[in-house]
Amino acid sequence: MDNIRCPNIISFYGACTETGKYGLVMEYMSLGSLYKLLHEDNLVLTWPERLSIAFQTSNGINYLHQLPEPLLHRDIKSLNFLIERAYEGYTVKVCDFGLARTRNETTRQSKSDSTLTCTLPWTAPEILRLERHTDKSDIYSLGVVFWELATYEIPYYEYPDDVIRASVLAGDRLKIPESTPSVFRELIKKCWAQNPNDRPNSSDLVEIIEKPIQVRVIPKIPVNARWTQNGVTVAGGNEKSNAINRLWSPEGLFIDDDQTMIIADSSNHRIIQWKMDDTSGKIVAGGHCNGNQLHQLYYPTDVLTDKETDSIIICDWGNGRVVRWSCRSGTTQGEILVDNIKCWGLAIDDQRYLYVSDTSKHEVRRYRIGDKNGTLVAGGNGQGDGLNQLNWPTYLFVDQQQTIYVSDNNNHRVMKWNEGAKEGIVVAGGQGKGNALTQLSYPRGLFVDMLGTLYVADSWNHRVIRWPKGATQGTVILGGNGEGRGPNQFNSLRGLSFDRHGNLYIVEFGNHRVQRFSIE
């Protein structure tokens, strides 16, 4: 152990060998085990955090498996991964090598002297048959740990041992939630394949998890957070123009993981990418005047990125279609995903379902990418102000439970629609158009953080308002100083988003700019 040096393996410092006082001196991890974190502390982890933990567990096991004399852990479970806070997220380290053996040692082991030494819920079927432990047996156990990350549940909790054995030997597996990102869900299934030869090896796991998986980074923003009141213009500004360093009536905004902005530059009929601290942007879609050809856009209103296909998805509102443009070099035109729809807002969930608002039918539909018809998930009962109706729905937000938040623009409210609900719930506004703290005036961009706090671009009130979960009124956090071009003023807000650090970005239709407000 003292020769092992890996950021995801617990460090060994020494041992006490005094008779009756045997002990090991090892690295201290203040949060305890992954088991404790998931099943006792009830800590809510974002999907990026969960995937980071999965990557680190895989990296630690891969290090052991890739040693000159490969080491098999033989007792992988969430109790044997220790956790510590890091600057962003968590650090994970493999511990408890009491049952670890080199691959050569397990190869020499005969079936007659095999005994079941693993912890049953994490044990591979071949071990239950008292067969030799291999690196693929470790992978099976790691798959169960991944399942814990996806569900927050204890595997086979309160199942009798004989039922667990029978289930695993029969090839039955624990249910993986539909909300699990598709790539991670398939990885879990591969890890606990019945035939060990069908399981990936540890280096495969590291490579797969290290690749971008379509998950959104939703920052954890303190409930009493404050932002600088004077914004910094990070895109556009000054006068409207079609120059590469200007915007013209921008609408939607998407912030990538590296703080790169993707902006729907609507009246320029283009999508522009603007890297942080750059003085000009780069056209990544459209920009050939308004038109309905595949190389053109007509007043795009919203945009997002799809990491899995390395592309951007665009609401091409003027053309009544949703289009996708590849981010690969040499792309000159898009492809139509959905047509005959007056789409305004877009959202994508962790399963890669696409949500689109329709300002003509006053509804929101959910699409599996490639599906042309979609499923109605909000509104769809005509234009109106009933709880089952919408009136010109614009921007959308979908949380990790597939709850949909809709800016119900002409009803001056934000609606929340739980999955499968026939009616929505008013979570902000809904008291008529006005500037009281209980009211909104043509709400546009919106965002919901991990605490359920709602942030709304209150467009015609020229302010950003924060609405805590369950509150009956909001609090102005930015603007509210009248229409204007000052650094603490707005002119017709549109898109709103946060980066992973909690900095707030606002699109201003009237000032042709994007402003960033740093979290204090």
Side-chain angles (χ1 to χ4, degrees), residues 289-309:
C289 300
N290 65 305
N292 61 7
Q293 301 301 306
L294 289 178
H295 69 287
Q296 294 176 304
L297 300 171
Y298 188 0
Y299 204 85
T301 53
D302 206 4
V303 61
L304 54 78
T305 65
D306 180 14
K307 292 182 181 179
E308 194 158 311
T309 59

Side-chain angles (χ1 to χ4, degrees), residues 313-326:
I313 299 175
I314 305 162
C315 267
D316 190 8
W317 183 79
N319 283 320
R321 64 191 185 187
V322 178
V323 294
R324 176 169 62 189
W325 283 59
S326 172

